[in-house]
Amino acid sequence: MTKPKTLFDKIWDAHVVKQKEGYPDVLFIDRHFIHEVTSPQAFDGLRKRNIPVFNTKRTTATADHNVPTKDQHLPIKEALSRHQVETLRKNCAEFGIELYDLGHPFQGIVHIIGPELGLTLPGMTIVCGDSHTSTHGAFGNIAFGIGTSEVEQVLATQCVLQYKPKTMRIEVNGNPGRGVLAKDIILYIISKISASGATGYFVEYAGSAIEALSMEARMTICNMSIEMGARGGLIAPDETTFNYIRGRKFAPQGEAFEQQVKQWKQLKTDEGAAYDKVLTYDAADIAPMITYGTNPGMGIRVTDRIPTAEELKEISEKTSFSKSLEYMGLEPGTSLLGQPVDYVFIGSCTNARIEDLRLVASIVKGKKKSPNVEVWVVPGSKQVEEQARKEGLDKIFESAGFELRSPGCSACLGMNEDKIPAGKYCISTSNRNFEGRQGPKSRTFLASPLSAAAAAITGKVTDVRELL
Amino acid sequence: MSKEKFITLQSTAVPLAVENIDTDQIIPARFLKATTREGFGENLFRDWRYDVDGKPKAEFVLNKSTFSGKILVAGKNFGCGSSREHAAWALYDYGFRVIISSFFADIFKNNALNNALLPVQVSDAFLKNIFSAIEKNPSAIIEVNLENQFVKLPDGAKESFEINPYKKACMINGYDDIDYLLSLNSEIKEFDLTQ
Ligand code: SF4
């Protein structure tokens, strides 16, 4: 009998072109996504070496990080940003790569469009010059972020050189309580294992609480794998996965699809396969979560107090802890409930899919935002935006005083026009609360779309369960 | 394409005893708009180095004339967060050739190695020794020997570090991964057809 394998090992092993003693594995990449920020230097490399793209059909491009979310039909105002997007256009035309540019009906945040177009499928290897490529792992594939030198490797050879990471299984069982979303589950996990706790590992999420999630919620979970240091995270595909993929634009259709499903059903970890590490959590312990510090591991249940330095496990973390609280303008040992916020950002590859927007709308319907907050709702893609309008969510947002913008990364990363001003507090559905992430000196509270919506109504950090 | 070769380095070092330094701190997103690899050093640690008006912050280590050198010594989990290779480019462009920490984030480590910037992982205890050696004497010369894989302090204290043999050979010879991958072109083409 062959040795039982984890799902991760099965997919990895099936993609190794060459293995050589002392060398990293040569890993074949099925699907490559690129965007304007991390690709220009890679194309330059191809030009310098005078080589073409290895297989243009395996790469798809979009513009998302450095684009405005207002007046997208007009030329980009800021010269450097405009140049970067134009460079992407020029490179895609020159090398023959499909580009979903601003204004295209498929444009959007790279990790949102891949799945919604059926480009992201089970069993694949997927890379992108962006750490949240882990999002795609929700479909049962190996997806991870790479640097620009590696983008060049993939363009040139459709392969990357990689060392096989260790495997970790994170199981969440049971029923999460009221008002607890996938975002809360993952923020809870990260708060338990820290921002570096999974470095060197590839995570498989499992357990009844994970299986019960929709595809969009599973994407939220896998998306934040990188925030605990993991290369990526994946979830074994099941009927939920197949139903999501069925009929998507670039997915196999008809009989071909049914054949694929038969193969995809094999994509699971064998009974008795060994992981390097296994962690188990009870969903009942999870409540709506919020971060108080400047890395995503600094999260608490919204009803808990911020810890004090004495309560920290590792003494070495104390300096970083005080520096972090000072940056945030918060006191150790206090509660965040009632803390006023200035901005609410609903968007990013973590939480800007249609289900997220529906959840937000379900809470704000018929209500108005608090006058002290500015609220931005930034859909993850053109298709999400269209769908939201079709369902009349735009009207709900409008009458609540929320601003519905055009798709892009927006205030997730403080690169484009959308930035949170210095010293202001933003409750955000994105994935990083690093110093200055949303703009110089901006202060971020990471939370779920429901918690963000609740704060939009009350103007302060709120336990969303009070509004349900 | 050949890169700068790295065999051994003796230099003073710059201490930055902060943990979890993410790539957004190393180079904030708003400075990622360039389409070339050069010039990012100017904005290295931008928001720690300069205030909002662009004035240097005297208390930040890169602005202190006491400390300089080609080695940056930093707290654990260096380079976490965004995969931006610009972080490695910025450190290199500024003049660093070695980063010493007790733990590195995965993607950053790869990015650094792909850009002739050597990430050296030492134990927590040895990291502490390095910090105190620099504190005691900012002109302390630290030796980073890639060939024999050790870091040595002026008092003779030494610790060895690990590096994958393939990556070590690339650093020492100034090769990069694409040279190797391109040599496998026909094997990869065949593989592609089976997918
Ligand atoms: S939304 Fe944020 S995290 Fe996601 S790809 Fe864009 S910048 Fe990166």
Side-chain angles (χ1 to χ4, degrees):
Chain A
M1 232 184 71
T2 49
K3 200 168 156 246
K5 277 185 173 185
T6 64
L7 171 56
F8 174 80
D9 286 329
K10 286 184 188 177
I11 303 174
W12 182 281
D13 294 349
H15 286 84
V16 174
V17 179
K18 195 179 178 77
Q19 219 157 23
K20 192 166 145 186
E21 185 65 28
Y23 281 68
D25 288 352
V26 177
L27 194 70
F28 187 82
I29 299 303
D30 294 314
R31 185 74 69 215
H32 182 208
F33 294 102
I34 58 171
H35 61 82
E36 73 277 25
V37 181
T38 57
S39 67
Q41 296 86 352
F43 283 110
D44 272 350
L46 297 187
R47 260 183 229 111
K48 277 191 200 137
R49 289 174 209 261
N50 197 19
I51 47 177
V53 168
F54 184 89
N55 182 346
T56 51
K57 291 197 182 58
R58 292 190 182 275
T59 297
T60 307
T62 193
D64 56 1
H65 283 64
N66 198 4
V67 302
T69 55
K70 274 177 164 177
D71 297 328
Q72 284 185 340
H73 59 288
L74 299 177
I76 299 175
K77 275 187 255 154
E78 213 251 341
L80 283 175
S81 304
R82 190 171 63 240
H83 177 68
Q84 204 169 44
V85 174
E86 277 167 3
T87 303
L88 180 70
R89 254 169 230 158
K90 206 181 69 179
N91 285 332
C92 287
E94 181 182 334
F95 287 90
I97 287 166
E98 183 86 55
L99 165 67
Y100 301 133
D101 203 348
L102 284 184
H104 191 285
F106 298 161
Q107 180 266 339
I109 304 175
V110 62
H111 311 308
I112 294 207
I113 67 166
E116 80 184 0
L117 290 170
L119 288 166
T120 298
L121 299 173
M124 283 182 158
T125 45
I126 300 179
V127 294
C128 171
D130 188 286
S131 57
H132 292 99
T133 308
S134 57
T135 314
H136 306 261
F139 292 80
N141 54 48
I142 294 184
F144 55 91
I146 54 177
T148 300
S149 295
E150 292 165 316
V151 171
E152 188 181 336
Q153 291 174 27
V154 179
L155 289 172
T157 69
Q158 205 56 44
C159 288
V160 277
L161 283 178
Q162 292 290 313
Y163 296 101
K164 199 173 182 178
K166 291 179 279 187
T167 52
M168 182 188 291
R169 179 182 174 92
I170 297 183
E171 233 178 84
V172 189
N173 293 304
N175 291 321
R178 220 162 42 99
V180 174
L181 301 181
K183 181 65 162 287
D184 301 303
I185 298 179
I186 191 66
L187 282 175
Y188 178 83
I189 295 173
I190 302 169
S191 78
K192 290 287 168 202
I193 76 176
S194 93
S196 61
T199 304
Y201 290 89
F202 214 97
V203 176
E204 179 178 347
Y205 300 96
S208 59
I210 301 292
E211 285 159 23
L213 297 173
S214 71
M215 277 324 290
E216 299 202 353
R218 291 180 191 183
M219 285 188 249
T220 302
I221 300 268
C222 291
N223 173 274
M224 290 192 73
S225 305
I226 182 75
E227 305 313 336
M228 45 189 169
R231 269 331 279 282
L234 78 172
I235 297 172
D238 58 11
E239 286 304 322
T240 308
T241 322
F242 310 142
N243 288 337
Y244 178 98
I245 299 170
R246 188 174 283 116
R248 301 256 158 198
K249 175 90 181 159
F250 297 109
Q253 307 287 333
E255 187 46 33
F257 177 78
E258 299 311 326
Q259 284 307 318
Q260 278 286 346
V261 168
K262 276 195 200 132
Q263 288 181 20
W264 290 341
K265 285 188 173 158
Q266 312 301 314
L267 292 171
K268 49 178 177 254
T269 292
D270 294 331
E271 193 89 32
Y275 296 84
D276 296 296
K277 196 168 185 175
V278 178
L279 297 170
T280 308
Y281 299 103
D282 183 351
D285 292 339
I286 308 175
M289 297 287 294
I290 190 158
T291 62
Y292 59 86
T294 54
N295 77 55
M298 303 173 89
I300 48 174
R301 286 182 284 232
V302 70
T303 45
D304 289 347
R305 287 178 303 104
I306 298 172
T308 58
E310 293 69 44
E311 288 163 350
L312 291 182
K313 278 181 261 131
E314 283 186 60
I315 299 168
S316 71
E317 274 177 8
K318 282 182 186 163
T319 10
S320 306
F321 176 78
S322 340
K323 182 173 181 287
S324 186
L325 283 197
E326 196 180 307
Y327 179 87
M328 290 296 291
L330 299 170
E331 291 299 323
T334 59
S335 165
L336 276 176
L337 286 173
Q339 162 73 41
V341 298
D342 309 292
Y343 286 80
V344 176
F345 172 58
I346 292 158
S348 91
C349 57
T350 314
N351 284 122
R353 285 170 284 266
I354 192 66
E355 285 177 12
D356 300 312
L357 269 45
R358 283 183 195 138
L359 280 164
V360 172
S362 73
I363 286 228
V364 305
K365 192 169 185 181
K367 298 199 180 78
K368 290 239 175 304
K369 74 169 181 70
S370 162
N372 64 310
V373 291
E374 204 167 306
V375 187
W376 300 340
V377 181
V378 186
S381 71
K382 265 289 175 219
Q383 294 204 59
V384 171
E385 184 185 355
E386 283 309 304
Q387 186 62 28
R389 289 187 195 282
K390 228 191 259 169
E391 297 178 18
L393 307 186
D394 55 330
K395 299 276 173 335
I396 298 175
F397 296 144
E398 203 176 296
S399 48
F402 292 12
E403 201 180 322
L404 179 63
R405 297 193 166 201
S406 297
C409 294
S410 185
C412 173
L413 87 165
M415 171 167 203
N416 49 69
E417 294 169 3
D418 306 349
K419 294 188 186 73
I420 306 303
K424 298 291 182 195
Y425 289 100
C426 175
I427 185 161
S428 175
T429 67
S430 56
N431 41 53
R432 286 187 174 141
N433 50 356
F434 299 150
E435 284 185 29
R437 171 75 181 184
Q438 299 196 283
K441 296 221 152 91
S442 60
R443 292 158 160 172
T444 305
F445 297 127
L446 299 176
S448 80
L450 277 181
S451 297
I457 304 298
T458 61
K460 51 194 183 210
V461 173
T462 302
D463 183 347
V464 63
R465 291 170 295 193
E466 286 164 18
L467 302 189
L468 293 177
Chain B
M1 275 183 299
S2 65
K3 300 220 168 10
E4 193 177 294
K5 298 180 183 180
F6 189 113
I7 295 166
T8 182
L9 174 73
Q10 296 192 334
S11 168
T12 50
V14 178
L16 187 52
V18 180
E19 293 177 357
N20 298 313
I21 297 179
D22 58 78
T23 53
D24 272 83
Q25 306 317 313
I26 300 172
I27 180 107
R30 59 190 196 282
F31 300 110
L32 306 185
K33 296 179 183 180
T35 53
T36 58
R37 284 175 194 246
E38 294 79 33
F40 290 102
E42 234 173 272
N43 293 310
L44 176 68
F45 293 116
R46 175 74 200 201
D47 295 335
W48 289 358
R49 219 164 124 197
Y50 302 101
D51 65 17
V52 248
D53 311 316
K55 273 211 304 290
K57 296 187 190 176
E59 75 282 6
F60 185 61
V61 68
L62 293 188
N63 297 326
K64 289 184 186 164
S65 55
T66 351
F67 300 106
S68 65
K70 293 185 172 182
I71 302 171
L72 178 70
V73 188
K76 75 162 187 237
N77 199 24
F78 186 84
C80 59
S82 157
S83 60
R84 60 189 68 163
E85 195 162 315
H86 311 67
W89 299 336
L91 288 158
Y92 186 91
D93 192 56
Y94 183 86
F96 290 118
R97 294 295 177 269
V98 172
I99 315 291
I100 301 178
S101 174
S102 56
F103 198 74
F104 288 93
D106 280 334
I107 305 182
F108 175 80
K109 202 196 285 175
N110 274 347
N111 288 343
L113 286 165
N114 282 334
N115 287 282
L117 179 67
L118 181 67
V120 173
Q121 185 165 327
V122 296
S123 65
D124 282 319
F126 198 72
L127 187 70
K128 258 197 209 134
N129 286 349
I130 305 179
F131 279 128
S132 49
I134 309 172
E135 220 161 88
K136 244 195 280 164
N137 174 16
S139 27
I141 300 283
I142 294 171
E143 179 182 352
V144 177
N145 189 313
L146 175 58
E147 197 157 30
N148 300 308
Q149 297 180 222
F150 66 78
V151 185
K152 197 167 142 197
L153 301 182
D155 65 359
K158 224 165 128 177
E159 191 174 91
S160 60
F161 63 87
E162 285 188 19
I163 180 168
N164 175 272
Y166 164 78
K167 283 291 178 191
K168 179 175 170 180
C170 284
M171 288 284 290
I172 288 181
N173 298 308
Y175 296 154
D176 69 13
D177 289 350
I178 299 190
D179 299 328
Y180 172 56
L181 284 172
L182 285 172
S183 74
L184 301 176
N185 194 279
S186 51
E187 276 168 77
I188 301 173
K189 278 226 160 84
E190 260 171 51
F191 193 95
D192 191 3
L193 293 175
T194 66
Q195 291 297 295

